[in-house]
Amino acid sequence: MSRPSGVSADRRWMRRALALAEKGRDTVAPNPMVGAVVVRDGEVVGEGYHREAGQAHAEVLALRVAGDRARGATLYVNLEPCCHVEKRTPPCTEAIVRAGVARVVVSMRDPNPRVFGRGLERLAEQHVEVSEGLFSARAFEQNRGFSSLIRQGRPYVTLKGAMSLDGKIATATGDSQWISGQSSLAYAHRLRRDHDAILVGISTATKDDPRLTNRLPGSRNHQPVRVILDSTGRLPPDSRLFSEEGGGPVFLAAGPRAPDAALRRLEKSGARIFVLEEERPGEIDLAGLLSVLAGEGLLTVLVEGGSRVNASFLAAGLVDRIRVVLAPLLIGGADAIGWLGGSSPPTLSRARRLPAFSVLRRLGDDLLVGADLWGPDSLPGTEGL
């Protein structure tokens, strides 16, 4: 039987490491998802993944399984092995060196400034062959929440929407279902599956009475936490968020003016209440909310808000990625509701120009367009990698 060799073998085993890392998606936060595979003479002799913060790292688990067979082997890991000691577990670089591993293949560097590049340097100093960059985009996507937490101090935020070709999300009466087609709806559910939390404003929550669930058939059983911006506690206690099973927990972000009685009713219905400061009357402190979500282990947030919520996140500089579905539909009318609320700038020179805006793919009759405002190239020291 022939065996893959060289680049094809590296790709095969790194795919395995990425798949192993994915097993920790719902349990490792605020730590990163990491998978490791030890290969010797074309055979897997050990593998593991990081299961929970404070427990052994993926590399250590894989090496433990490999035992003496790790000597002279290649270790595949989606994130640079740690080398610092200011944490609960020992540095993985030293375990790799002691095990006698000959080569380490890494997808991306650890964004932690205490590690970034230093883990690879430590291995090279100990005469371990090092290779980096294989499937780096996939590795960043997998741990974009961890990278954002480390470098920006908050969760990674995706702003998602669907609009007509003339930039409208609803008619003047508020009718908005459905602007996009079935393929776009399936894409929306994939986004929900791939985020820790989904966030909407109280207007969306009351007008549409949404479930905010991942309803992909056959998808892994991940339901995002459902976050509602509700400064005055107006969410109905009989909302479908509470009455229909199958969704994630409901977090309600209220302002200090919200009546205690209303909050108690919502808490009785099943909501977790977080009372936050307001930037202005009726406007929750979004940076403070993201800090709360990070403290709950929610490192990726999908914003599916209305025009006011969308504008607030952009104005606060809290958006890392934009994904918009353009439907072949013209709504028209100066009174129709646009995707971004608020006031326009006085001149185009003060409008925000997006970097690297692109058409990503077709979704049935719709087009998916987007821009990444913060990504792997935003990490200091990654230029040219």
Side-chain angles (χ1 to χ4, degrees), residues 86-324:
E86 303 88 2
K87 55 187 182 69
R88 288 180 283 182
T89 55
C92 291
T93 50
E94 306 314 299
I96 293 169
V97 171
R98 287 195 304 272
V101 171
R103 179 173 178 250
V104 174
V105 182
V106 171
S107 287
M108 66 173 282
R109 295 186 180 187
D110 189 326
N112 189 333
R114 293 176 297 178
V115 180
F116 191 81
R118 293 184 175 89
L120 300 180
E121 290 175 2
R122 172 61 180 165
L123 293 173
E125 289 171 356
Q126 297 299 309
H127 310 292
V128 177
E129 181 184 348
V130 172
S131 175
E132 64 173 303
L134 182 60
F135 296 137
S136 59
R138 284 177 57 179
F140 175 81
E141 179 68 17
Q142 188 174 58
N143 276 311
R144 65 192 186 281
F146 170 74
S147 296
S148 178
L149 180 66
I150 291 294
R151 290 302 181 104
Q152 300 189 108
R154 61 167 177 80
Y156 187 96
V157 175
T158 299
L159 186 61
K160 175 263 176 187
M163 69 174 73
S164 63
L165 285 179
D166 53 343
K168 309 298 184 180
I169 62 172
T171 66
T173 64
D175 184 26
S176 61
Q177 295 182 342
W178 296 99
I179 286 178
S180 56
Q182 289 299 315
S183 296
S184 296
L185 291 176
Y187 170 73
H189 285 285
R190 288 197 296 273
L191 282 179
R192 291 179 180 184
R193 177 197 64 191
D194 294 337
H195 284 77
D196 298 331
I198 176 173
L199 182 149
V200 301
I202 185 59
S203 294
T204 297
T206 53
K207 180 176 69 70
D208 296 341
D209 195 16
R211 286 179 285 175
L212 302 180
T213 55
N214 156 33
R215 297 191 291 277
L216 282 178
S219 67
R220 58 184 172 82
N221 189 27
H222 171 77
Q223 293 293 343
V225 171
R226 298 169 292 177
V227 182
I228 313 298
L229 298 178
D230 185 8
S231 62
T232 57
R234 290 190 288 131
L235 185 67
D238 60 352
S239 164
R240 289 205 299 175
L241 294 169
F242 307 120
S243 61
E244 296 192 14
E245 297 181 356
V250 176
F251 287 7
L252 190 134
R257 297 177 299 119
D260 289 340
L263 297 184
R264 284 196 297 270
R265 284 194 296 270
L266 289 168
E267 195 168 39
K268 188 176 181 180
S269 291
R272 284 191 62 188
I273 309 296
F274 298 88
V275 178
L276 302 166
E277 296 299 320
E278 295 181 333
E279 288 286 314
R280 302 174 192 81
E283 295 187 12
I284 297 294
D285 174 10
L286 297 179
L289 172 59
L290 290 179
S291 178
V292 167
L293 297 182
E296 295 292 326
L298 306 174
L299 303 187
T300 53
V301 178
L302 178 65
V303 177
E304 288 192 9
S307 60
R308 182 179 177 184
V309 171
N310 295 341
S312 295
F313 268 91
L314 281 168
L318 298 174
V319 176
D320 301 307
R321 175 179 292 173
I322 296 174
R323 294 293 183 264
V324 174

